[in-house]
């Protein structure tokens, strides 16, 4: 090949330019090293040489205030900086807080950037996504050592004594957050491990004189009886195609399969719920509703065409506290809905393989500590988290400061709404660390939300029933045995493997795919080498004690 | 006679179809405007509302007088007003430089430029570069990384190449230096593409959202789009996620999400829509640039 003179010049210039840019980026300073080097070396070198270690005692209290920066998910309405609540918290816990809010929609991207670059505040809210406890980015970050290992602190025998509020977190949750035998974060946004409930429009039930359904079959028939298209549909699936796999709808799935997403048999063999033959019972149930027009024909678009709070759907499977009538309910009907509209919570329905209850981790996000933070601070941070888990802290965030945001009159609190909205008071604490089991939510209705006493009594009964049924179901296969096992193929390949699953589910419900075709589809996945590899990994990890 | 009637029929039917198409474009805006002014108690989702059943400016009040609107507006204005002239200056000068065929290393530069169209390093390397340049927490992190791009430079380059050489040569004869040629001859002749790109850059800077979230942690410095997203999110929160474990304890009353979302859309669109008519005449001409090779 003859290279002309001009071309030679071009090629050599390009090569020189390339070499230049490569050299510059390679030599570009110590700031640009990868997370591994950074976190690793810092974690090592910082333990000795820190000044914030000179606190008076291991917990909060005397000594220099602890500098804490945090990355938090925001759901809108972030309180202004330096507001009175922030100052009060700093005072009470001897800390200096620096908050960074990131809107929920972008949180995953921001978190991943932080974890991959090693650049994130002292405390980070680790948000889950995908089938297991940690995403692959998070697993990588853990392997790179960006988080402090908290196992020794948490498993210490005096943990519950030193940190009484954190000590309330049950062992089952700590087990679920254990990864490869270690605990890297404190569970946060705690909630009952079973939280789904089926709601029906009480007023419509009474108007039509319908009997309260007790089985999933009866629920189907009731929903069909309640629907009156196009004004009213039976079941609210307004989230669209993904509604069929929502945490709440999984309670109905559990009624058919008796399991959570993954289940393991006596031989240690795992299977995914959707691929079990029993799962077809769920699809058939939905199909029956769809054919009888109890489900909006275009539900899959997610356009909120039939929505329970908007008064266009008569039934909804959601959280069991969602529509409890109260002065300050969790959710309420839109203003344009009949003022007589009331929700009724059903006792857990019986299905062919068990009750319709869901199973959750019991926590949503976690608080992890940046390994760059000096190790001495860990006890102080745990103490801070313990304070955030206390009733005192919850009261402060929800009601504000006495005399400023509310006045105590005759034992009741009179809130100053204006000041509250100015200072951003009344939302969740930055770290929702309070241990919230079903009792907590019920009490919340009693004390803070002004629930109707009759409704409250009914709620207590129903929830007791739900919890009892959950215990029964958990003893016979309902659970999350896959959750914290280390299965890299699952994390990497699951989305690709189950690419068509969501759509095919909808197709079966809408009658565009026959059950035989669904069987073929399921067979194509279960015979796939990747799926078999996933099962193998899960089985090995589970047998090894997984945790 | 038949010819004239046929001709008129043709005109009328074309006009009719165009009218329909035009309406199809305009009606959604009316819908948004109408819903934004609708009182929350009469708002019904999924109904076509072209005139509010009950007028209410609650949604606007909530947005405009909410906490943080002013600071957010200030951020957006800074980024847009500082960013756009800078972007134009850098793009135009680079393009002019590269339009000169006798520039040594020109081909290499163009190749590198085209490389950026083909490959993008992704979010994390971008973040690392911005961090290493010390731009985090500053409005400049929203401006500098996006201050120019390959498409802009290439389009301007071909436009500059279309300007006759003779003009520059005669200016040189009259004693003009390169800078003078650029400022006095090239730029005035490039009003069309420059106006078009002013609009493109201004809209892009005004819409800054994602970069602000990634590079800036201090909420005081967040631009308007982030502020508005917060509002729309807050309205959405209660029926939010039936995914793993999210329970939001909500207090206070806010207008239902649809009216607020619409008000947010209008609030964000308004400044750009108001500026458009003034650049309209340049814009139409500028968009054709690069489409026809002379």
């Amino acid at each position: 090949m003859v290279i002309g003179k001009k071309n030679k010049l071009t090629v050599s210039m390009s090569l020189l330019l390339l070499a230049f840019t490569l050299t510059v980026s390679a030599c570009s300073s110590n700031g640009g090293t990868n997370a591994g080097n950074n976190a690793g070396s810092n974690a090592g070198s910082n333990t000795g040489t820190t000044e914030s270690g000179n606190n008076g005692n291991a917990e909060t209290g005397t000594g220099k205030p602890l500098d804490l920066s945090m990355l938090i998910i925001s759901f809108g309405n972030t309180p202004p900086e330096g507001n009175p609540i922030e100052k009060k918290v700093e005072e009470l816990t001897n800390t200096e807080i620096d908050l960074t809010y990131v809107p929920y929609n972008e949180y995953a991207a921001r978190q991943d950037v932080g974890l991959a670059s090693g650049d994130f505040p002292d405390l980070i809210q680790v948000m889950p996504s995908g089938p297991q406890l940690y995403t692959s980015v998070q697993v990588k970050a853990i392997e790179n050592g960006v988080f402090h290992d908290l196992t020794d602190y948490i498993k210490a025998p005096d943990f519950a004594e030193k940190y009484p509020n954190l000590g309330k977190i049950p062992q089952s949750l700590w087990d679920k957050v254990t990864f490869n035998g270690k605990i890297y974060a404190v569970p946060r946004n705690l909630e009952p491990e079973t939280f789904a409930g089926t709601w029906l429009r009480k007023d419509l039930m009474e108007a039509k004189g319908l009997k309260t359904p007790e089985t999933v079959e009866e629920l189907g028939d009731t929903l069909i009886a309640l629907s009156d298209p196009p004004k009213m549909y039976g079941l609210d699936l307004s989230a669209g195609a993904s509604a069929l796999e929502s945490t709440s709808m999984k309670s109905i799935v559990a009624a058919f399969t008796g399991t959570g997403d993954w289940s393991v048999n006596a031989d240690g063999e795992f299977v995914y719920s959707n691929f079990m033959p029993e799962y077809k019972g769920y699809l058939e149930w939905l199909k029956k509703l769809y054919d009888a027009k109890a489900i909006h024909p275009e539900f899959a678009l997610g356009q909120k065409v039939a929505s329970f709070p908007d008064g266009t759907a008569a039934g909804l499977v959601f959280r069991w506290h969602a529509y409890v009538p109260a002065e300050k309910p969790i959710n309420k009907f839109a203003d344009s809905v009949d003022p007589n509209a009331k929700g009724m919570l059903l006792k857990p329905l019986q299905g062919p393989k068990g009750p319709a209850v869901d199973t959750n981790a019991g926590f949503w996000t976690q608080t992890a500590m940046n390994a760059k933070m000096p190790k001495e601070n860990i006890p102080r941070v745990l103490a801070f988290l313990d304070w955030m888990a206390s009733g005192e802290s919850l009261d402060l965030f929800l009601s504000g400061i006495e005399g400023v945001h509310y006045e105590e009159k005759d034992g009741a609190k009179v809130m100053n709404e204006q000041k509250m909205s100015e200072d951003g008071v009344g939302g969740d604490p930055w770290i929702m660390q309070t241990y919230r089991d079903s009792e907590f939510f019920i009490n919340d209705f009693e004390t803070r939300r002004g629930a109707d006493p009759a409704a409250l009594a009914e709620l207590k009964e129903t929830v007791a029933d739900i919890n009892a049924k959950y215990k029964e179901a958990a003893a016979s296969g309902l659970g999350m045995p896959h959750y914290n096992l280390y299965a890299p193929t699952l994390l990497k390949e699951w989305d690709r493997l189950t690419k068509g699953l969501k759509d095919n589910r909808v197709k079966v419900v809408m009658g565009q795919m026959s059950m035989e075709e669904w069987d073929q589809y399921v067979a194509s996945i279960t015979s796939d080498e990747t799926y078999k590899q996933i099962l193998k990994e899960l089985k090995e990890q589970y047998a090894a004690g997984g945790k | 006679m038949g010819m004239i009637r046929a001709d008129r029929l043709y005109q009328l039917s074309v006009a009719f179809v165009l009218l329909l198409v035009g309406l199809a474009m305009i009606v959604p805006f009316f819908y948004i405007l109408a819903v934004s002014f609708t009182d929350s108690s009469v708002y019904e989702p999924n109904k076509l509302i072209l005139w509010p059943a009950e007028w209410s400016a609650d949604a606007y009040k909530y947005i405009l007088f909410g906490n943080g609107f002013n600071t957010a507006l200030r951020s957006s204005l800074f980024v847009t007003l500082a960013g756009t002239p800078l972007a134009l200056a850098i793009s135009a000068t680079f393009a002019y430089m590269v339009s000169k065929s006798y520039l040594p290393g020109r081909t290499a530069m163009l190749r590198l430029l085209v490389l950026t169209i083909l490959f993008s390093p992704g979010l994390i390397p971008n973040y690392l570069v911005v961090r290493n340049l010390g731009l985090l927490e500053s409005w400049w992190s929203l401006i500098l990384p996006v201050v120019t791009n390959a498409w802009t430079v290439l389009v301007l380059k071909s436009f500059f190449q279309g300007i006759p050489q003779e003009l520059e040569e005669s200016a040189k004869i009259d004693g003009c230096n390169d800078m003078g040629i650029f400022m006095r001859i090239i730029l005035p002749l490039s009003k069309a593409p420059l106006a078009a790109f002013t609009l493109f850059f201004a809209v892009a800077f005004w819409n800054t959202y994602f970069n602000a979230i990634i590079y800036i942690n201090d909420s005081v410095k967040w631009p308007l789009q982030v502020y508005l997203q917060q509002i729309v999110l807050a309205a959405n929160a209660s029926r939010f996620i039936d995914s793993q474990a999210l329970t939001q304890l909500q207090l206070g009353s806010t207008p239902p999400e649809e009216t607020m979302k619409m008000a947010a859309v209008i609030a964000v669109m308004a400044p750009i829509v108001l500026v458009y008519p003034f650049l309209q005449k340049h814009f139409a001409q500028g968009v054709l640039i690069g489409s026809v090779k002379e």
Side-chain angles (χ1 to χ4, degrees):
Chain A
M1 177 174 79
V2 178
I3 309 180
K5 190 168 170 198
K6 181 149 187 228
N7 274 350
K8 260 200 194 136
L9 193 60
T10 318
V11 169
S12 47
M13 287 296 275
S14 310
L15 284 174
L16 279 175
L17 208 57
L18 191 64
F20 177 69
T21 45
L22 284 176
T23 327
V24 163
S25 58
C27 295
S28 99
S29 63
N30 37 9
T33 52
N34 60 30
N37 292 346
N38 252 346
S41 59
N42 281 344
S45 62
N46 269 342
T47 31
T49 54
T50 159
E51 40 161 76
S52 359
N54 63 348
N55 28 334
N57 53 13
E59 282 78 42
T60 61
T62 58
K64 191 162 161 289
L66 175 66
D67 261 313
L68 270 186
S69 51
M70 307 183 213
L71 190 70
I72 305 179
I73 303 177
S74 116
F75 292 92
N77 286 342
T78 59
E81 282 221 8
N83 63 75
I85 302 292
E86 202 177 308
K87 294 207 161 54
K88 191 84 183 150
V89 173
E90 288 176 336
E91 189 190 305
L92 291 173
T93 58
N94 194 21
T95 51
E96 278 199 28
I97 312 268
D98 176 18
L99 299 171
T100 302
Y101 285 100
V102 176
Y104 171 76
N105 286 345
E106 321 303 333
Y107 191 79
R110 177 71 182 84
Q111 173 193 248
D112 288 350
V113 163
L115 291 176
S117 65
D119 240 3
F120 55 93
D122 295 321
L123 298 181
I124 183 171
Q125 185 171 11
V126 179
M127 187 173 84
S129 159
Q132 294 194 292
L133 174 66
Y134 290 123
T135 65
S136 33
V137 173
Q138 291 162 2
V139 169
K140 196 97 220 285
I142 290 176
E143 285 170 359
N144 284 339
V146 300
F147 294 150
H148 271 306
D149 180 355
L150 304 175
T151 325
D152 293 331
Y153 297 89
I154 291 173
K155 293 217 166 127
D158 58 352
F159 179 73
E161 216 184 291
K162 268 171 90 183
Y163 311 109
N165 295 311
L166 290 180
K168 289 192 198 146
I169 299 177
Q171 185 60 35
S172 56
L173 262 59
W174 289 116
D175 285 342
K176 280 187 228 183
V177 86
T178 307
F179 184 72
N180 272 343
K182 297 202 159 40
I183 298 179
Y184 292 100
V186 178
R188 178 170 168 174
N189 293 97
L190 305 168
E191 59 168 41
E193 277 165 279
T194 184
F195 213 173
T198 311
W199 289 93
L200 292 177
R201 281 279 294 272
K202 188 170 185 165
D203 51 318
L204 296 178
M205 291 281 288
E206 285 169 356
K208 295 208 174 167
L210 295 171
K211 173 171 115 34
T212 309
E214 284 171 14
T215 67
V216 175
E217 273 304 310
E218 286 174 16
L219 174 67
D221 295 330
T222 314
L223 290 175
I224 295 175
L226 283 171
S227 75
D228 175 26
K231 280 214 295 279
M232 174 75 63
Y233 287 90
L235 186 60
D236 175 337
L237 290 175
S238 50
S242 51
L244 298 183
E245 56 180 354
S246 70
T247 334
S248 298
M249 282 305 280
K250 282 182 185 165
S251 62
I252 308 283
V253 175
F256 285 99
T257 62
T259 67
D261 277 339
W262 287 89
S263 60
V264 62
N265 69 10
D267 294 326
E269 304 285 347
F270 277 81
V271 67
Y272 187 60
S273 62
N274 287 207
F275 304 146
M276 294 166 69
E278 290 87 340
Y279 189 79
K280 290 193 282 188
Y282 171 63
L283 292 176
E284 274 156 11
W285 182 80
L286 286 171
K287 185 163 183 334
K288 184 168 145 205
L289 290 178
Y290 185 85
D291 291 337
K293 297 232 181 324
I295 294 179
H296 195 285
E298 291 181 355
F299 79 93
L301 296 175
Q303 294 293 322
K304 298 214 208 107
V305 287
S307 147
F308 190 74
D310 287 336
T312 44
L316 171 68
V317 185
F318 199 37
R319 299 267 184 263
W320 53 243
H321 71 344
Y323 288 92
V324 174
E327 282 163 35
K328 296 198 186 110
I330 301 280
N331 286 325
K332 47 185 174 158
F333 292 102
D335 290 330
S336 53
V337 180
D338 182 359
N340 288 329
K342 269 175 87 175
M344 78 185 270
L345 177 65
L346 297 179
K347 291 218 161 58
L349 301 155
Q350 194 60 27
K353 277 281 170 81
V357 287
D358 68 327
T359 176
N360 289 320
F363 58 92
W364 179 47
T365 61
Q366 309 153 39
T367 310
M369 303 183 203
N370 194 335
K372 289 187 196 165
M373 186 184 76
K375 204 154 171 226
E376 288 79 67
N377 290 351
I378 296 182
R380 281 188 77 179
V381 175
L382 285 174
F384 175 75
L385 291 178
D386 188 64
W387 183 84
M388 292 294 304
S390 69
E392 183 192 5
S393 127
L394 192 61
D395 279 337
L396 179 63
F397 279 93
L398 291 178
S399 316
I401 302 170
E402 188 176 357
V404 176
H405 303 108
Y406 71 94
E407 301 284 343
E408 205 69 57
K409 280 204 183 111
D410 306 321
K413 288 190 178 146
V414 178
M415 320 299 282
N416 180 346
E417 303 277 347
Q418 162 83 350
K419 194 84 177 71
M420 280 175 79
S421 84
E422 257 173 46
D423 289 339
V425 175
D428 270 349
W430 317 317
I431 302 184
M432 191 61 224
Q433 195 63 64
T434 315
Y435 177 57
R436 299 184 302 181
D437 54 358
S438 32
E439 214 179 286
F440 172 89
F441 284 104
I442 296 178
N443 275 342
D444 192 49
F445 275 108
E446 216 165 350
T447 55
R448 208 168 56 84
R449 294 185 176 271
D452 178 52
L456 197 58
E458 235 184 274
L459 178 69
K460 280 187 186 162
E461 234 187 270
T462 314
V463 172
D465 201 15
I466 293 179
N467 286 339
K469 292 265 158 60
Y470 175 73
K471 273 210 180 70
E472 270 175 46
S476 60
L478 182 71
M480 304 171 71
H482 71 294
Y483 196 55
N484 58 351
L485 302 180
Y486 179 50
T489 316
L490 175 58
L491 288 179
K492 254 200 319 189
E493 302 286 343
W494 188 247
D495 284 339
R496 186 192 60 79
L497 197 60
T498 55
K499 205 160 42 133
L501 184 57
K502 194 159 130 180
D503 286 339
N504 286 341
R505 227 183 262 132
V506 174
K507 281 193 193 149
V508 172
V509 170
M510 289 175 70
Q512 285 176 10
M513 194 186 213
S514 70
M515 278 301 175
E516 288 76 41
E517 286 169 332
W518 170 263
D519 284 334
Q520 277 170 12
Y521 172 69
V522 168
S524 75
I525 298 189
T526 52
S527 58
D528 189 315
E529 281 312 309
T530 318
Y531 183 70
K532 293 196 184 140
Q533 173 67 14
I534 293 176
L535 293 187
K536 185 157 154 279
E537 282 174 3
L538 287 173
K539 183 172 178 183
E540 282 169 0
Q541 285 282 306
Y542 188 72
K547 321 165 179 182
Chain B
M1 268 298 244
M3 282 274 281
I4 298 175
R5 215 176 284 163
D7 192 38
R8 286 201 65 184
L9 185 60
Y10 170 72
Q11 301 254 18
L12 279 173
S13 37
V14 167
F16 181 66
V17 169
L18 287 178
L19 189 66
L20 280 182
V21 172
L23 276 178
M25 305 286 161
I26 284 263
V27 166
F29 283 108
F30 270 130
Y31 175 73
I32 295 179
L33 205 54
V35 173
S36 69
F37 279 111
T38 302
D39 190 74
S40 50
S41 58
V42 298
Y43 171 70
E44 267 170 70
N46 299 312
K47 229 177 84 139
L48 179 63
I49 301 171
L50 286 175
W51 193 259
E54 237 185 77
W55 285 82
S56 152
D58 277 342
Y60 285 101
K61 259 191 240 159
Y62 187 76
I63 291 182
L64 296 178
F65 300 115
N67 236 339
F69 180 79
N70 289 330
T71 38
L73 183 62
R74 191 180 52 147
S75 303
S76 274
L77 282 175
F78 179 85
V79 171
T80 311
L81 295 176
T84 312
L86 189 65
L88 284 172
I90 293 184
S91 306
T93 45
F94 187 25
Y96 181 61
M97 173 183 82
V98 171
S99 71
K100 294 290 167 223
S101 54
Y102 50 81
L103 179 74
R106 171 180 180 258
T107 332
M109 265 189 260
L110 281 175
R111 290 211 176 124
L112 276 180
L113 199 63
V114 169
L115 204 68
T116 66
I117 302 183
L118 298 172
F119 301 110
S120 165
L123 182 55
I124 292 170
N126 266 319
Y127 178 83
L128 291 176
V129 169
V130 170
R131 181 188 70 174
N132 292 346
L133 288 172
L135 291 178
L136 290 182
E137 302 302 328
S138 156
W139 282 319
W140 293 104
S141 65
L142 306 178
I143 299 177
L144 294 180
V146 293
V147 81
T148 188
N149 55 64
W151 178 65
T152 310
V153 169
L154 290 175
V155 168
L156 284 175
K157 172 185 85 90
S158 29
F159 185 81
F160 291 150
Q161 278 171 333
I163 295 178
Q165 287 276 45
E166 290 76 19
L167 280 175
E168 298 190 27
E169 282 167 18
S170 53
K172 270 235 170 65
I173 292 172
D174 286 339
C176 210
N177 60 15
D178 284 310
M179 198 56 184
I181 295 179
F182 182 65
M183 301 287 286
R184 294 199 207 163
I185 301 202
I186 306 290
L187 283 188
L189 283 176
S190 316
K191 282 215 178 80
L194 285 180
F197 282 115
T198 306
L199 209 53
F200 291 155
F201 279 122
V203 170
F205 281 124
W206 183 255
N207 283 342
T208 309
Y209 168 71
F210 188 70
N211 283 347
I213 289 180
I214 298 290
Y215 298 133
I216 297 183
N217 286 331
D218 186 356
S219 56
V220 164
K221 295 206 176 118
W222 276 344
L224 199 55
Q225 308 291 349
V226 183
Y227 169 77
L228 287 168
Q229 166 74 314
Q230 301 271 52
I231 301 246
V232 170
L233 263 187
N236 248 339
S238 74
R239 62 169 91 181
F240 213 118
I241 304 143
D242 188 27
S243 65
Q244 187 143 12
L246 174 60
T247 317
Q248 287 298 304
L249 308 174
Q250 256 202 322
L251 280 182
S253 64
T254 56
E257 53 226 66
E258 288 308 306
T259 58
M260 288 243 281
K261 274 194 212 162
M262 300 307 174
V265 169
I266 300 286
V268 162
M269 257 175 35
I272 301 290
V273 166
L274 291 174
V275 167
Y276 240 80
F278 300 102
L279 294 173
Q280 173 75 2
K281 54 177 174 159
H282 300 295
F283 189 62
Q285 207 184 340
V287 170
L288 287 174
I289 300 300
S291 63
V292 178
K293 206 71 172 90
E294 288 168 55

